[in-house]
Amino acid sequence: MKMSDINHSSTQQNQFVTAVITHRVRDGRAEGYEKWIKGISAAARAFPGHMGVSLLRPQPGASLDYVIVLQFEAQERLSAWLNSDVRRDWIERVQPLIQEQESVQILSGLEA
């Protein structure tokens, strides 16, 4: 079977999904961002279907991009988190700490 033969139909909605979220943190705001990420991570863990979160920190001298890798057991569970009032409140709190709108990429199955 070739990779191109894999069916990306709605039946895959039962597979785990990963959200890759990138934030470009403002210069001098990393400490506040680190506190924020602890809070939002704890909130995400309380949502049904949460399977884990990893944080990739920027390397010294590189860009100030933080990458959050968030896994849920199914697309509907991830969507519930991404569209929740709880997350919306946390995103409002991070606005003074980041330079631009967050980037969110959703990966499922083998893509992840």
Side-chain angles (χ1 to χ4, degrees), residues 90-107:
W90 279 101
I91 295 303
E92 284 180 25
R93 293 181 205 176
V94 80
Q95 293 308 310
L97 306 175
I98 60 176
Q99 292 182 19
E100 55 196 54
Q101 187 69 21
E102 69 181 356
S103 165
V104 179
Q105 182 180 10
I106 308 297
L107 306 172

Side-chain angles (χ1 to χ4, degrees), residues 47-110:
F47 264 68
H50 182 271
M51 294 178 59
V53 62
S54 299
L55 178 64
L56 305 173
R57 291 174 173 86
Q59 296 300 309
S63 74
L64 295 175
D65 288 356
Y66 281 76
V67 178
I68 302 164
V69 181
L70 181 64
Q71 289 191 314
F72 274 80
E73 67 184 12
Q75 178 65 48
E76 65 187 22
R77 302 288 190 161
L78 174 61
S79 294
W81 163 248
L82 292 176
N83 297 315
S84 71
D85 290 339
V86 173
R87 183 175 186 276
R88 195 170 301 116
D89 289 345
W90 279 101
I91 295 303
E92 284 180 25
R93 293 181 205 176
V94 80
Q95 293 308 310
L97 306 175
I98 60 176
Q99 292 182 19
E100 55 196 54
Q101 187 69 21
E102 69 181 356
S103 165
V104 179
Q105 182 180 10
I106 308 297
L107 306 172
S108 63
L110 293 176

Side-chain angles (χ1 to χ4, degrees), residues 1-50:
M1 177 188 293
K2 298 183 299 188
M3 291 299 290
S4 60
D5 292 336
I6 296 173
N7 182 1
H8 291 285
S9 70
S10 61
T11 60
Q12 287 187 322
Q13 288 181 352
N14 294 331
Q15 292 183 356
F16 72 89
V17 291
T18 302
V20 180
I21 303 167
T22 305
H23 290 142
R24 179 158 293 163
V25 176
R26 294 179 190 270
D27 205 15
R29 303 306 298 262
E31 185 177 326
Y33 184 83
E34 291 278 346
K35 289 178 183 175
W36 175 85
I37 197 68
K38 287 179 184 174
I40 195 171
S41 295
R45 281 193 292 276
F47 264 68
H50 182 271

